[in-house]
Each structure stands twice: as C-alpha cells, then as structure tokens.
C-alpha cells in the first residue's frame, strides 16, 4: 500500500504515519492513537479502528483479533452540550 | 559485582520520566527507561495541557513554574519537534460573582508580589480578550504569560531525542522490586528480569507511592481523578486557557467549599481549544482510587458550568469523555530529589495538576542532581526528605 493512503479520514492520518507509529513502539490501537491521533476524530474510530488493528497485526505478526482495541469512551454518539448541561437561558 | 545495564534507570514513561531521560542523556548518561505499558499510557495521556503560572501557589511553586517556562521556551528548537507550544496565549481565571472576584483579587496580589504579571479585569475587558465569554460574568484574572502545549507530542519528542543520545526504552515491562546493595539502590526487578544501574529515578506519577513502597518508603501519593470532555472540532472560539475563579480553592482548600456537589466531586471548570479545533473541558478532583470511569453527574456538572461561562457551547457536540489520575501529594508539592538512607534512589513524582507545566524544569533539576550532585537553584522545599520531618 502507498504510504500516502489516508487510513483515518477524520484526522487525515496516512498509512505511512501509522507504520512510523508502530516502528516507534505502538502495539495497540490506543498506542497508534496517542502517536498519530488516528481514531480521535469525529467518528471516534468507528471508521478507522478495524483498519488500524489490521495494520498493527500485519506489522507485528499478531492476529487482528489479538490486537487490543481502543478504550471505549462515553458517549456512543456526539451529543449537543445544551442537551446535557441545560441551557439556562432558554 | 553485578552487571550494569545503564548509568541511570528511570521508572515511568510519562512526560516526567521522558523529560528526565532526555536531560540525562543530553549530559552524557546512558539511560534505561522502564514503562509498565506504553509511553503516555498514564496521566500524561489523559489531561489538559496548561502551562499556567497564575494557578500555582505564590512562593516556591510559582518560582518553579516560571523557571520551567524558561526551559519550555527553547524546547521545540532543542528537541527539533513541533510541540504545539503556545508561549503567550494567555490565561483567564473567570469569576462568576463578586465573592469569587474578591477571592481571586486577593490571590492576584500574592502572585504580583511573587513577581508574576497579572491583571484583574471587569467582564467587558475580559470579553475583549475572549469574546465568547458570557456578559453575565463578573470578571477575570488575566495572566499574559500563560501558555499551552501538546503533552503527547512532547513526550514522544523527548523519547526520540533521548534515543538519538543513546537512551533505551523498555515498554510493557513492570517494575516489581527495588534492588539494594546494603543501603545503596543498585537496580530494579521487573516482570521481564533484573536491571542494574548507579541510580534509579521514580517517575511513576500517581503510581509513585507504590514504587517508593518497594524501596521501603511511605510517600503519600494518591490518585486524584479528573474527568474531561472533548468536543467535535470547531472553528477557533477559545484563544486562551481558562478556569473558574474557585480553581485554587478546589485544588488547595477543598475543605472550604460549601456547595455540596462541588465539594463531593471537586467539580470546577476549565477550557482550552487544541490546534485541531477540539475543545477540552474539565474538570473534577475526586479521590476514588484508580477507577478510570467517567460519571454522568460529573459530566452534567462540568457542561452546566461551561455553558454558563460560554453560552455558545450549548450548540456544540461533545464526542468523548475520559479521566486521568493527578499524582496528589498532601502538601501540593512534588517530591523531587534524592532520598535519605537510600543513596542512588531519586523521587520525581507527585506533580498533581501541574505535571505538564513543571515537566521541563523537573527534567533539568533531576539531571543536575544526578550528574552534578547539586542544582542551579534552591530545591530544598521540594525535597522528598520532608516526609521524615513530620
Ligand atoms: C484532568 C487532568 C487535567 C490536568 N491538567 C493539567 C494541566 O493543564 N497542566 C499541567 O501541567 N498538568 C495537568 N495535569 C497533571 C498532569 O497530567 C500530571 O501531573 C502529569 O501528566 C504527570 O506525569 P507523570 O509522568 O508524572 O505521570 P504519568 O504520565 O502517569 O507517568 C507515569 C508512568 O509510570 C508508569 N508506571 C506505573 N507503575 C509502573 C511500574 N510498576 N513499572 C513501570 N512503570 C510504571 C505508568 O504506566 C505511567 O505511564 C492534569 C491532570 C489531569 C488528570
Ligand atoms: S476515521 Fe479515524 S476517527 Fe474517524
């Protein structure tokens, strides 16, 4: 695959940057995320996490299902802050 | 005599451990950093990134932060990396009412006496700096020299620069014991084997108390949880770093708080916008052990205050919540330096909510202590040995 292919669209992280992160010591999806921001975008990794997992697997010789996925973070979907925090002016 | 794996072993791969590793390697020491998980897997990977002298207690803590800023200023060039460091984005401590304003004004006098430039602004003036602020607020303390930085980028940049100087990093390796030869500390046991060196540095952050126990010392370092919220990326609406006027009370004197929810959860409010447009909003200060969860009550409380300060947040979505553990010490000062009775053992832990800001100077002073045996300025107030005088 070309190093310039975008793997995480939300954060525009390329295949090459993910390879560099793995070379740098990342062995988990969180490890790649901390080094590249892949998975930190608007979709919170829903689109890119599986591909990142596969790339780590192929580079480190693990099975994709053995690569630790990202830590799950609340909320599941983006929420408008006014809904939670109650806009006192309304 | 045992084999030697390095001149110095550093325990913990957060911003503190990597800063020390870099500064030691720059002074010609062979360093081995040992990290239980991965770099940035502890508090450094779950925090805000303010470098704010005006949130430090006037006196030694403020002085240390100002010294740290001097190191920060040249760090991007020195490490040859983009750290998203903003030296003078400025900081506001925003007051909702007159009581908060009076309290913050009092503190501003102490900060001024300590040599820091700060101004008390009415809300009209504060809104000139930060137009998104609600006009219903009372005013703010303004510190022009406050800054911010990217802690991930800094930690990895320290690692890369240290590696260029010959330092070695062992991730996924947990320290399980401290090896002594008589009094002297000469190495560590880990789940992957034993390693030996002339000196061992405890930079394990909130876990620093556990590591010290392995050497037989009882440093009270407690995890103080902070919950944070991250928004979708939006256009720049926040330019400074901000926190509520009651910040110093929550941090240093939680016993004085009267509001029940604020007291129980240590809910305050702070906000910053990162280079990619995400807004990070905090915070809580809770003693709940190493429980990493986030709670609806706290998230609600944080967002509620945030919207009171910045009404347009109500229409912005949040996409993630997370929490981190501030390494709390009872006197609100980190333990920095050699430990009496254990030659070769150094503490560099307990930075509470200031570890990012103070990392730069922590790296320098620990390297000075280990290499030269003394520091370029007085560090007595931070000596770990203060626990023996209680
Ligand atoms: C919500 C929140 C907001 C904050 N905001 C700010 C801010 O705006 N400005 C600021 O300056 N500071 C802030 N802080 C504080 C700052 O994040 C911390 O002080 C700092 O990250 C501590 O760094 P550290 O390297 O000491 O700890 P850590 O980053 O936690 O590193 C310690 C490392 O030690 C490792 N470790 C633990 N046990 C072992 C073992 N047995 N063997 C090997 N390794 C081990 C851990 O895995 C960890 O990686 C905030 C903190 C929180 C929680
Ligand atoms: S594609 Fe990676 S976070 Fe959305």
């Amino acid at each position: 695959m070309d190093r310039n292919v975008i793997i995480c669209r939300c954060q525009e992280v390329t295949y090459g940057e993910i390879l560099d992160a793995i070379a740098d010591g990342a062995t988990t999806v969180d490890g790649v995320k901390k080094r590249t921001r892949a998975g930190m975008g608007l979709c919170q990794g829903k689109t890119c996490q599986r591909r990142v997992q596969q790339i780590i697997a192929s580079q480190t010789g693990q099975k994709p299902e053995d690569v630790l996925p990202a830590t799950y973070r609340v909320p599941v979907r983006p929420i408008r802050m006014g809904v939670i925090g109650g806009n006192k002016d309304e | 005599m045992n084999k030697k794996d390095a001149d110095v072993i550093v325990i913990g791969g957060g911003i503190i451990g990597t800063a020390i590793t870099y500064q030691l390697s720059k002074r010609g020491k062979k360093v081995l950093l040992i990290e239980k998980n991965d770099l940035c897997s502890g508090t450094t990977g779950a925090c805000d990134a303010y470098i704010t002298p005006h949130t430090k207690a006037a006196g030694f803590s403020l002085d240390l932060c100002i010294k740290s800023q001097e190191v920060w200023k040249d760090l991007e060039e020195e490490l040859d990396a983009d750290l998203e460091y903003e030296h003078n984005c400025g900081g506001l401590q925003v007051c909702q009412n007159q009581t908060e304003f009076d309290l913050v004004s009092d503190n501003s006098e102490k900060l001024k006496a300590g040599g820091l430039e700060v101004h008390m602004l009415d809300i009209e003036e504060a809104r000139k700096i930060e137009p998104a602020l609600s006009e219903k607020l009372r005013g703010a303390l303004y510190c022009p020299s406050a800054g911010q930085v990217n802690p991930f980028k800094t930690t990895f940049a320290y690692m890369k620069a240290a590696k260029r100087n010959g330092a070695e990093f062992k991730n996924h390796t947990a320290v399980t014991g401290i090896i002594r030869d008589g009094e002297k500390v000469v190495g560590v046991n880990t789940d992957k084997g034993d390693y030996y060196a002339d000196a061992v540095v405890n930079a394990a952050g909130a876990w620093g108390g556990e590591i010290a126990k392995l050497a037989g010392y009882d440093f009270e370092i407690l995890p103080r949880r902070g919950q944070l919220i991250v928004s979708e990326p939006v256009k720049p609406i926040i330019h400074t770093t901000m926190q509520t006027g009651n910040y110093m009370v929550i941090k240093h004197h939680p016993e004085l708080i009267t509001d029940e929810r604020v007291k129980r959860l240590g809910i305050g409010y702070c906000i910053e916008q990162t280079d990619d447009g995400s807004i990070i909003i905090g915070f809580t200060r809770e003693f709940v052990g190493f429980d990493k969860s986030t709670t609806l009550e706290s998230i609600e409380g944080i967002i509620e205050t945030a919207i009171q300060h910045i009404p347009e947040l109500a229409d912005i979505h949040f996409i993630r919540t997370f929490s981190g553990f501030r390494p709390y010490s009872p006197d609100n000062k980190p333990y920095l330096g050699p430990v009496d009775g254990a030659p070769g053992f150094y503490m560099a832990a307990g930075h509470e909510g200031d570890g990012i800001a103070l990392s730069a100077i922590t790296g320098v002073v620990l390297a000075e202590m280990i290499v030269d045996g003394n520091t370029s300025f007085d560090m007595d107030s931070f000596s770990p040995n203060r626990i023996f005088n209680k």
Side-chain angles (χ1 to χ4, degrees), chain B residues 153-184:
Chain B
K153 286 197 171 171
T154 307
T155 303
F156 290 115
Y158 271 133
M159 182 264 289
K160 285 188 183 141
K163 275 190 177 170
R164 290 197 287 271
N165 293 339
E168 208 188 319
F169 288 73
K170 283 200 193 301
N171 289 349
H172 305 290
T173 306
V175 169
T176 54
I178 303 287
I179 307 172
R180 316 270 296 241
D181 178 4
E183 278 201 326
K184 226 181 124 27

Coordinates of all heavy atoms in Angstrom, one line a residue, chain B residues 153-184:
Chain B
K153 N 2.8 15.0 22.1 CA 3.9 15.3 21.2 C 5.2 15.6 22.0 O 6.3 15.2 21.6 CB 3.6 16.6 20.4 CG 2.6 16.3 19.3 CD 2.5 17.3 18.2 CE 1.7 16.9 17.1 NZ 1.4 18.0 16.1
T154 N 5.0 16.2 23.2 CA 6.2 16.5 24.0 C 6.9 15.2 24.4 O 8.1 15.0 24.3 CB 5.9 17.4 25.2 OG1 5.2 18.5 24.7 CG2 7.1 17.8 25.9
T155 N 6.1 14.3 25.0 CA 6.6 13.0 25.5 C 7.3 12.2 24.4 O 8.4 11.7 24.6 CB 5.5 12.2 26.1 OG1 4.8 13.0 27.1 CG2 6.0 10.9 26.8
F156 N 6.7 12.1 23.2 CA 7.3 11.3 22.2 C 8.5 12.1 21.6 O 9.5 11.4 21.2 CB 6.3 11.0 21.1 CG 5.3 10.0 21.5 CD1 3.9 10.3 21.6 CD2 5.7 8.7 21.8 CE1 3.0 9.4 22.1 CE2 4.8 7.7 22.3 CZ 3.4 8.1 22.4
A157 N 8.5 13.4 21.6 CA 9.7 14.1 21.2 C 10.9 14.0 22.1 O 12.0 13.8 21.7 CB 9.3 15.6 21.0
Y158 N 10.6 14.0 23.4 CA 11.6 13.7 24.4 C 12.2 12.3 24.1 O 13.4 12.1 24.2 CB 11.1 13.7 25.8 CG 11.1 15.0 26.5 CD1 9.9 15.5 27.2 CD2 12.2 15.8 26.6 CE1 9.9 16.7 27.9 CE2 12.2 17.0 27.3 CZ 11.1 17.5 27.9 OH 11.1 18.7 28.6
M159 N 11.3 11.3 23.9 CA 11.8 9.9 23.7 C 12.7 9.9 22.5 O 13.8 9.3 22.5 CB 10.5 9.0 23.4 CG 10.8 7.6 23.2 SD 10.9 7.1 21.5 CE 9.2 7.2 21.0
K160 N 12.3 10.5 21.4 CA 13.1 10.4 20.1 C 14.4 11.1 20.4 O 15.5 10.6 19.9 CB 12.4 11.1 19.0 CG 11.2 10.2 18.5 CD 10.6 10.7 17.2 CE 9.5 9.8 16.8 NZ 8.3 10.6 16.3
A161 N 14.4 12.3 21.0 CA 15.7 13.0 21.2 C 16.6 12.2 22.1 O 17.8 12.1 21.9 CB 15.4 14.4 21.8
A162 N 16.0 11.6 23.2 CA 16.8 10.7 24.1 C 17.4 9.5 23.4 O 18.6 9.2 23.6 CB 16.0 10.3 25.3
K163 N 16.6 8.9 22.5 CA 17.1 7.8 21.7 C 18.3 8.2 20.8 O 19.3 7.4 20.7 CB 16.0 7.2 20.8 CG 15.1 6.2 21.6 CD 14.2 5.5 20.6 CE 13.4 4.4 21.3 NZ 12.3 3.9 20.4
R164 N 18.2 9.4 20.3 CA 19.3 9.9 19.5 C 20.6 10.0 20.3 O 21.7 9.8 19.8 CB 19.0 11.2 18.8 CG 17.9 11.2 17.7 CD 18.0 12.5 16.9 NE 17.4 13.7 17.6 CZ 16.1 14.0 17.6 NH1 15.2 13.3 16.9 NH2 15.7 15.1 18.2
N165 N 20.4 10.2 21.6 CA 21.5 10.3 22.5 C 21.9 9.0 23.2 O 22.7 8.9 24.1 CB 21.2 11.3 23.7 CG 21.1 12.8 23.2 OD1 21.6 13.1 22.1 ND2 20.4 13.6 24.0
G166 N 21.3 7.9 22.7 CA 21.7 6.6 23.1 C 20.8 6.0 24.2 O 21.1 4.9 24.8
A167 N 19.7 6.7 24.6 CA 18.9 6.1 25.7 C 18.1 4.9 25.2 O 17.8 4.8 24.0 CB 17.9 7.2 26.2
E168 N 17.7 4.0 26.1 CA 17.0 2.8 25.7 C 15.6 2.8 26.4 O 15.5 3.3 27.5 CB 17.8 1.6 26.2 CG 17.6 0.4 25.3 CD 18.3 -0.8 26.0 OE1 19.5 -0.6 26.5 OE2 17.7 -1.9 26.0
F169 N 14.6 2.3 25.7 CA 13.3 2.3 26.3 C 12.7 0.9 26.3 O 12.7 0.2 25.3 CB 12.3 3.2 25.5 CG 12.6 4.7 25.6 CD1 13.7 5.3 25.1 CD2 11.7 5.5 26.4 CE1 14.0 6.6 25.2 CE2 12.0 6.8 26.6 CZ 13.1 7.4 26.0
K170 N 12.3 0.4 27.5 CA 11.6 -0.9 27.6 C 10.2 -0.6 28.0 O 9.9 -0.4 29.1 CB 12.3 -1.7 28.6 CG 13.6 -2.3 28.1 CD 14.0 -3.6 28.9 CE 15.5 -3.9 28.6 NZ 15.7 -4.2 27.2
N171 N 9.3 -0.8 27.0 CA 7.8 -0.7 27.3 C 7.3 -2.1 27.7 O 8.0 -3.1 27.6 CB 7.1 -0.3 26.0 CG 7.3 1.2 25.7 OD1 7.9 1.9 26.5 ND2 6.9 1.6 24.5
H172 N 6.1 -2.1 28.2 CA 5.4 -3.3 28.6 C 6.3 -4.1 29.6 O 6.4 -5.3 29.5 CB 5.0 -4.2 27.4 CG 4.2 -3.4 26.4 ND1 2.9 -3.1 26.7 CD2 4.5 -2.9 25.2 CE1 2.4 -2.4 25.7 NE2 3.3 -2.2 24.8
T173 N 7.0 -3.4 30.5 CA 7.8 -4.0 31.5 C 7.5 -3.3 32.8 O 7.7 -2.1 32.9 CB 9.3 -3.8 31.1 OG1 9.5 -4.2 29.8 CG2 10.3 -4.5 32.0
A174 N 7.0 -4.1 33.8 CA 6.6 -3.5 35.0 C 7.7 -3.7 36.1 O 8.2 -4.8 36.3 CB 5.3 -4.1 35.5
V175 N 8.0 -2.6 36.8 CA 9.0 -2.8 37.9 C 8.2 -3.4 39.1 O 7.1 -3.0 39.5 CB 9.5 -1.4 38.3 CG1 10.2 -1.4 39.7 CG2 10.4 -0.8 37.2
T176 N 8.9 -4.5 39.7 CA 8.2 -5.2 40.7 C 9.0 -5.2 42.0 O 8.6 -5.6 43.1 CB 8.1 -6.7 40.4 OG1 9.3 -7.2 39.9 CG2 7.1 -6.9 39.2
G177 N 10.3 -4.6 42.0 CA 11.1 -4.5 43.2 C 12.2 -3.6 43.0 O 12.6 -3.3 41.8
I178 N 12.8 -3.1 44.1 CA 14.0 -2.2 44.0 C 15.1 -3.0 44.6 O 15.0 -3.6 45.7 CB 13.7 -0.9 44.8 CG1 12.5 -0.2 44.4 CG2 15.0 -0.1 44.9 CD1 12.7 0.5 43.0
I179 N 16.2 -3.1 43.9 CA 17.4 -3.9 44.3 C 18.3 -3.1 45.1 O 18.7 -2.0 44.7 CB 18.1 -4.6 43.1 CG1 17.1 -5.3 42.2 CG2 19.2 -5.5 43.6 CD1 17.7 -5.8 41.0
R180 N 18.6 -3.5 46.4 CA 19.6 -2.8 47.2 C 20.9 -3.6 47.4 O 20.8 -4.8 47.4 CB 19.0 -2.5 48.6 CG 17.5 -2.0 48.6 CD 17.3 -0.5 48.6 NE 17.9 0.2 49.7 CZ 17.1 1.0 50.5 NH1 15.8 1.0 50.4 NH2 17.7 1.8 51.4
D181 N 22.0 -2.8 47.6 CA 23.2 -3.4 48.0 C 23.6 -2.7 49.3 O 24.1 -1.6 49.2 CB 24.3 -3.2 46.9 CG 25.6 -3.8 47.3 OD1 25.7 -4.4 48.3 OD2 26.6 -3.6 46.5
G182 N 23.3 -3.3 50.4 CA 23.3 -2.5 51.7 C 22.3 -1.4 51.6 O 21.1 -1.7 51.2
E183 N 22.7 -0.2 51.9 CA 21.7 0.9 51.8 C 21.5 1.3 50.3 O 20.4 1.7 49.9 CB 22.3 2.2 52.5 CG 22.1 2.2 54.0 CD 22.2 3.6 54.5 OE1 23.0 4.4 53.9 OE2 21.5 4.0 55.4
K184 N 22.5 1.2 49.5 CA 22.5 1.7 48.1 C 21.5 1.0 47.2 O 21.3 -0.2 47.3 CB 23.9 1.5 47.5 CG 24.4 2.7 46.8 CD 25.8 2.5 46.2 CE 25.8 2.8 44.8 NZ 24.9 3.8 44.2

